[in-house]
Amino acid sequence: MEIKSEINYSYLEYQGAPVRHEFPALHQDVFGKPLIYLDNAATTQKPWKVIHATNKYYVEMNSNIHRGVHYLSQKATDAYEISRNTIAEFINARQSKEVIFTKGTTEGINLVADCFGRYAVNEGDSVVITSLEHHSNIVPWQMLCEKRNATLKVIPIDENGEIILDEFEKLLDETVKIVAVSYVSNTLGTINPVKEIIELAHKNGSAVLIDAAQAVHHIPIDVQSLDCDFLVFSGHKMYGPTGIGVLYGKEEWLNKIPPYQGGGDMIKTVTFVKTEYNDLPFKFEAGTPHIEGAITLKAAVDFIREIGINEIARFEAGLLKYATEQVLQLPEVQIIGTAKAKASSLSLNIRGAHPYDVGVLLDKMGIAVRTGHHCTQPIMDFFCIPGTVRASFAVYNTMEEIDKFLESLRRAIKMLV
Amino acid sequence: MTINEKQDELIEEFEFLGDWMDKYEHIIEEAKELPEMDPKLKQDQYIIKGCQSKVWLFPEYKDGKLIFYADSDAIISKGLVGLIVRVLSGYTPEEIRDAELYFIDRIGLKEHLSPTRSNGLLAMVKQIKLYALALASTKKMPT
Ligand SMILES: Cc1ncc(COP(=O)(O)O)c(C=O)c1O
């Protein structure tokens, strides 16, 4: 056998590279078959770094933060604030006080809909979203509009699953107070032109919230160059723990809008007559937070930064391209979402088979995909389909896994069609 | 044949199916054998909630017996509902009400009965039992 003197593979492409060994959950059999995990858009697996960090927190520093003067409390507080700094650096926020810890994307959007809504959205105003949004970027705005007698306006998409920017421009008028749009669609994988959307919205005097739940671990994000007013994401989709997420907000906005919940930590002084709210970021972090989650999220960000987000983006684009090309070889397959710019997610249907059937059979062959409407019912209505089969990729997936996915898909087609 | 004899027959059929794919192959066959449901009966009120796919179940009370017609837009769901219809359709409401469904466990589909599953097998069984219970106690079809 010829031994190559030079390794051309990058860290991620080298099969059996250390990156897969860092994810213990990947190394198990399901129904007697090696697990192939392609449900990363729902949540990613966790590297040892994150698992160890969780352990370390409880073993070495568990205590409440921002309160005690004792050693442990200081230690936990420091770790919590260091994590905030790391996240601020990661998304290039001007200051770490613009980073608010939340439960996740959903809570971040609800917070902005509630607090920004109370500050800026009144009767006759409107909120703009897109047809691509996850339910969590639809329902909070619907609730706000109902409360304030405002209107929800929706940017339509075309057959490829791309936002129609011309239609967006038509929706913009003086009533539009905020535009809420996902960076990457969880169902179709479309990368939305958020930079253009932000520019157009700002020209119109509207604020912009970016739902980066499906973007922050796939493509580089710089909140200053984007110039978004708010940006939200979840820890669990970026190799971090569940129950923790981030709301980035421009300082100016976070100072202007009222607090979300009342409680400990978010106050400076309390009397029965008047409460003075605390400064940023604490104003939005009432109560004992998810301390261990926040601290551990740093480990997830470190994991991403050590490989490099550009390298991850390049590698995952290769996986998506390969999977798309392979899937297109099967005449029964129809890809849902054919935007020019896509990240991570590949949604498809088998002509003549229900997505549920495909999902059940793939599951029994060891392949984890998601089937259904993916919390985006309006997209299903647009394409007139009951759901899709979605394979979504992460840093630890391999070309071999995609080959096995295809082989299993072929077998499912044979059984169902 | 009694309900239990039908259950035993099914258990025997599944006994020789080694792996999961064979089992599902058989469930798909079951779907193909399920008698056609009149499209007119596929109304929203007969959709069973709690499935990722659409499952229709229409009850008919004739000559003291409950007969079920079912269909689904997903073939595996259709096969699953087909199994249940095959076992329970054509008996008196009392017989259906009192039937203990052990075949689901014995053919290895017990995991499908968990309320957290989205296939609705549990919902299908519950719906059939509900029709039987209502008929047995009031002699009237619930609306
Ligand atoms: C685009 C998008 N937005 C929002 C969410 C909601 O995230 P979470 O459930 O973590 O709050 C998701 C998760 O599926 C998502 O993909």
Side-chain angles (χ1 to χ4, degrees):
Chain A
M1 190 182 131
E2 187 191 313
I3 296 173
K4 283 198 187 129
S5 58
E6 208 180 353
I7 294 171
N8 295 318
Y9 295 117
S10 80
Y11 175 71
L12 293 175
E13 273 140 3
Y14 179 65
Q15 296 309 332
V19 73
R20 273 187 82 76
H21 297 302
E22 286 181 38
F23 289 84
L26 294 175
H27 305 281
Q28 58 180 307
D29 286 356
V30 295
F31 305 111
K33 307 267 164 40
L35 168 67
I36 294 179
Y37 188 78
L38 300 178
D39 193 18
N40 295 289
T43 200
T44 52
Q45 299 302 337
K46 318 303 172 201
W48 277 119
K49 218 182 178 60
V50 167
I51 298 167
H52 288 324
T54 308
N55 229 8
K56 188 177 156 80
Y57 168 73
Y58 284 111
V59 173
E60 293 179 12
M61 58 180 104
N62 174 53
S63 61
N64 212 326
I65 54 167
H66 301 137
R67 295 173 190 198
V69 291
H70 61 80
Y71 176 83
L72 271 192
S73 176
Q74 286 297 335
K75 193 168 169 178
T77 304
D78 287 348
Y80 187 85
E81 292 306 324
I82 286 171
S83 178
R84 195 194 303 277
N85 294 343
T86 303
I87 292 155
E89 267 173 35
F90 180 56
I91 58 172
N92 197 29
R94 260 175 228 92
Q95 334 166 52
S96 59
K97 65 179 171 189
E98 293 176 316
V99 168
I100 312 288
F101 284 117
T102 62
K103 279 194 289 189
T105 305
T106 303
E107 191 182 46
I109 298 169
N110 276 280
L111 188 158
V112 176
D114 187 65
C115 305
F116 181 89
R118 275 186 279 147
Y119 176 78
V121 180
N122 295 300
E123 185 160 352
D125 286 340
S126 63
V127 172
V128 171
I129 60 172
T130 84
S131 306
L132 285 176
E133 301 311 311
H134 188 280
H135 293 163
S136 66
N137 201 24
I138 302 175
V139 184
W141 303 111
Q142 258 170 353
M143 288 161 66
L144 167 67
C145 288
E146 209 166 285
K147 245 188 311 206
R148 310 295 269 194
N149 262 322
T151 312
L152 188 68
K153 301 200 240 177
V154 185
I155 313 172
I157 51 171
D158 64 18
E159 290 296 320
N160 294 319
E162 288 178 339
I163 289 174
I164 306 173
L165 270 184
D166 290 348
E167 296 294 326
F168 174 50
E169 292 198 60
K170 287 187 207 153
L171 295 179
L172 287 170
D173 58 27
E174 73 287 350
T175 67
V176 179
K177 297 302 169 205
I178 189 163
V179 177
V181 42
S182 51
Y183 203 141
V184 173
S185 155
N186 63 310
T187 301
L188 305 179
T190 313
I191 302 177
N192 290 319
V194 288
K195 187 112 177 100
E196 283 93 320
I197 290 173
I198 293 164
E199 273 170 23
L200 288 168
H202 283 174
K203 236 184 257 163
N204 188 58
S206 320
V208 179
L209 173 138
I210 301 293
D211 170 356
Q214 298 293 345
V216 69
H217 51 307
H218 294 308
I219 45 185
I221 287 186
D222 178 334
V223 290
Q224 289 189 58
S225 89
L226 279 178
D227 199 28
C228 52
D229 302 280
F230 303 99
L231 182 133
V232 291
F233 54 90
S234 299
H236 70 96
K237 291 185 197 285
M238 53 180 295
Y239 312 106
T242 53
I244 192 77
V246 168
L247 159 66
Y248 157 82
K250 280 184 186 163
E251 182 191 9
E252 184 197 344
W253 279 121
L254 294 178
N255 277 328
K256 272 189 201 159
I257 65 177
Y260 187 43
Q261 294 176 326
D265 249 15
M266 56 77 74
I267 47 88
K268 261 190 190 145
T269 57
V270 178
T271 68
F272 288 118
V273 183
K274 172 122 189 91
T275 292
E276 198 189 334
Y277 301 131
N278 205 342
D279 297 328
L280 295 177
F282 312 112
K283 173 182 165 188
F284 292 100
E285 292 180 359
T288 299
H290 184 11
I291 303 171
E292 151 251 322
I295 291 175
T296 311
L297 188 54
K298 177 183 187 298
V301 171
D302 288 344
F303 169 80
I304 292 173
R305 292 215 292 185
E306 274 162 26
I307 299 172
I309 187 76
N310 286 305
E311 168 67 3
I312 292 175
R314 190 193 62 74
F315 171 75
E316 289 176 346
L319 289 178
L320 182 62
K321 181 166 180 279
Y322 180 67
T324 305
E325 283 165 4
Q326 292 302 304
V327 153
L328 283 173
Q329 307 286 316
L330 308 176
E332 299 86 354
V333 168
Q334 184 188 9
I335 292 181
I336 314 292
T338 44
K340 277 189 279 306
K342 280 174 72 169
S344 171
S345 286
L346 177 61
S347 253
L348 56 88
N349 270 329
I350 307 294
R351 287 188 190 83
H354 195 283
Y356 166 77
D357 291 328
V358 182
V360 168
L361 296 181
L362 289 178
D363 173 47
K364 292 296 183 283
M365 292 185 265
I367 297 178
V369 292
R370 173 119 179 239
T371 62
H373 56 59
H374 318 294
C375 298
T376 54
Q377 279 178 14
I379 298 182
M380 302 303 121
D381 293 344
F382 177 80
F383 287 104
C384 297
I385 48 177
T388 76
V389 177
R390 182 190 66 190
S392 51
F393 308 107
V395 71
Y396 40 67
N397 289 123
T398 66
M399 300 288 182
E400 281 75 7
E401 286 183 310
I402 293 174
D403 288 339
K404 287 224 184 81
F405 166 60
L406 250 99
E407 196 184 304
S408 307
L409 203 55
R410 269 195 212 99
R411 181 153 180 213
I413 291 170
K414 208 181 272 168
M415 284 172 71
L416 293 170
V417 184
Chain B
M1 242 200 249
T2 64
I3 289 179
N4 283 357
E5 279 166 355
K6 284 212 187 141
Q7 296 201 71
D8 295 338
E9 181 186 78
L10 261 176
I11 291 165
E12 213 169 290
E13 273 175 38
F14 272 81
E15 216 158 44
F16 300 101
L17 302 175
D19 74 355
W20 275 107
M21 297 312 280
D22 294 338
K23 276 186 192 161
Y24 276 104
E25 199 103 54
H26 198 71
I27 290 168
I28 291 167
E29 283 310 309
E30 189 73 35
K32 290 176 182 158
E33 279 161 30
L34 186 69
E36 193 92 26
M37 184 180 187
D38 185 343
K40 283 204 292 285
L41 300 179
K42 288 193 204 167
Q43 295 164 22
D44 284 355
Q45 72 202 88
Y46 300 116
I47 288 180
I48 294 181
K49 297 201 174 61
C51 315
Q52 248 193 38
S53 51
K54 277 190 185 151
V55 178
W56 294 270
L57 182 76
F58 179 80
E60 184 182 40
Y61 189 43
K62 212 163 91 187
D63 306 328
K65 291 196 169 136
L66 244 177
I67 297 153
F68 292 100
Y69 303 92
D71 200 357
S72 171
D73 59 352
I75 199 156
I76 290 175
S77 304
K78 187 174 173 181
L80 291 172
V81 76
L83 292 176
I84 297 169
V85 166
R86 190 169 136 196
V87 168
L88 290 178
S89 183
Y91 295 94
T92 66
E94 289 77 11
E95 284 170 320
I96 297 172
R97 179 195 62 194
D98 298 337
E100 195 202 317
L101 289 184
Y102 53 82
F103 83 97
I104 296 172
D105 187 4
R106 294 276 297 279
I107 65 179
L109 290 177
K110 186 159 171 230
E111 54 152 326
H112 282 288
L113 277 182
S114 142
T116 57
R117 298 281 155 165
S118 50
N119 62 48
L121 194 60
L122 188 66
M124 297 171 197
V125 174
K126 266 195 185 150
Q127 190 60 51
I128 288 186
K129 287 275 192 180
L130 201 72
Y131 284 128
L133 199 67
L135 271 171
S137 53
T138 66
K139 300 289 164 208
K140 270 216 310 265
M141 198 67 115
T143 46

